[in-house]
């Protein structure tokens, strides 16, 4: 379809196609920003299989916006993106089906604890967080993140060392002493 699209035809009716596979970036080009300007017209329930071994959460989320069918990304071994993008992509396995041990690379410096918890709950793969400097969230969420990161054999690669680790920024105006103590007991 990408090759056909390159010829510049006014319209290619591909609504009968029930399955598209290929690289995520190539598939994304089949879905223009404006559906009225689409050269290739696909139905809104096309099953998608992503053939990449590495892709971005933003691309997977973009594909998900354009089809009601499940996106098969089980062949993808690494997904990169902000924590919010990753949480969206991994958090709805009915829409975007990923491998159980897909590796994840968080690219933003200040993710929320809620997003990190969603990512952690949806992959058994390594979660690389070297770009993270501050994690924000409620005291309860931060305590959960700290416990998950400090657990033996944890896949959440978050540095919770008191001297060199990330900063935990408590949001909101109230927090339980138990949650604050739980987070503090992990980070020292």
């Amino acid at each position: 379809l990408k090759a056909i699209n390159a010829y510049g035809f006014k319209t290619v009716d591909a609504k009968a196609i029930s399955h598209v596979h290929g690289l995520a970036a190539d598939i994304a080009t089949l879905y223009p920003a404006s559906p009225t300007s689409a050269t290739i017209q696909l139905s809104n329930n096309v099953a998608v299989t992503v053939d990449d071994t590495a892709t971005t959460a933003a691309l997977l989320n973009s594909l998900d916006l354009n089809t009601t069918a499940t996106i098969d990304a089980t062949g993808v071994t690494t997904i990169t993106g902000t924590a919010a993008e990753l949480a969206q992509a991994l958090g709805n396995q009915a829409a975007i089906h990923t491998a159980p041990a897909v590796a994840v690379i968080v690219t933003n410096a200040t993710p929320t604890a809620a997003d990190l918890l969603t990512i952690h709950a949806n992959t058994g793969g390594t979660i690389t967080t070297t770009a993270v400097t501050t994690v924000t969230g409620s005291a309860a969420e931060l305590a959960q993140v700290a416990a998950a990161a400090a657990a033996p054999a944890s896949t959440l690669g978050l540095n919770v060392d008191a001297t060199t680790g990330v900063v935990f920024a408590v949001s909101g105006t109230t927090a339980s002493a138990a949650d604050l103590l739980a987070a503090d007991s992990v980070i020292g």
Side-chain angles (χ1 to χ4, degrees), residues 30-60:
L30 302 176
Y31 296 106
S34 171
T36 57
S37 68
T39 302
I40 295 184
Q41 297 175 345
L42 296 167
S43 71
N44 67 346
N45 63 346
V46 173
V48 173
T49 300
V50 176
D51 294 339
D52 301 76
T53 56
T55 192
T56 67
L59 272 173
L60 292 175

Side-chain angles (χ1 to χ4, degrees), residues 4-93:
I4 292 170
N5 198 28
Y7 281 106
F9 294 111
K10 181 176 179 183
T11 302
V12 176
D13 184 347
K15 292 177 186 161
I17 293 174
S18 61
H19 181 254
V20 174
H21 71 92
L23 301 176
D26 288 344
I27 297 169
T29 64
L30 302 176
Y31 296 106
S34 171
T36 57
S37 68
T39 302
I40 295 184
Q41 297 175 345
L42 296 167
S43 71
N44 67 346
N45 63 346
V46 173
V48 173
T49 300
V50 176
D51 294 339
D52 301 76
T53 56
T55 192
T56 67
L59 272 173
L60 292 175
N61 293 331
S62 174
L63 294 175
D64 183 43
L65 290 174
N66 288 290
T67 184
T68 58
T70 300
I71 296 167
D72 180 356
T74 55
V76 176
T77 57
T78 305
I79 303 173
T80 304
T82 67
E85 292 167 341
L86 290 162
Q88 181 182 349
L90 295 170
N92 185 358
Q93 289 290 307

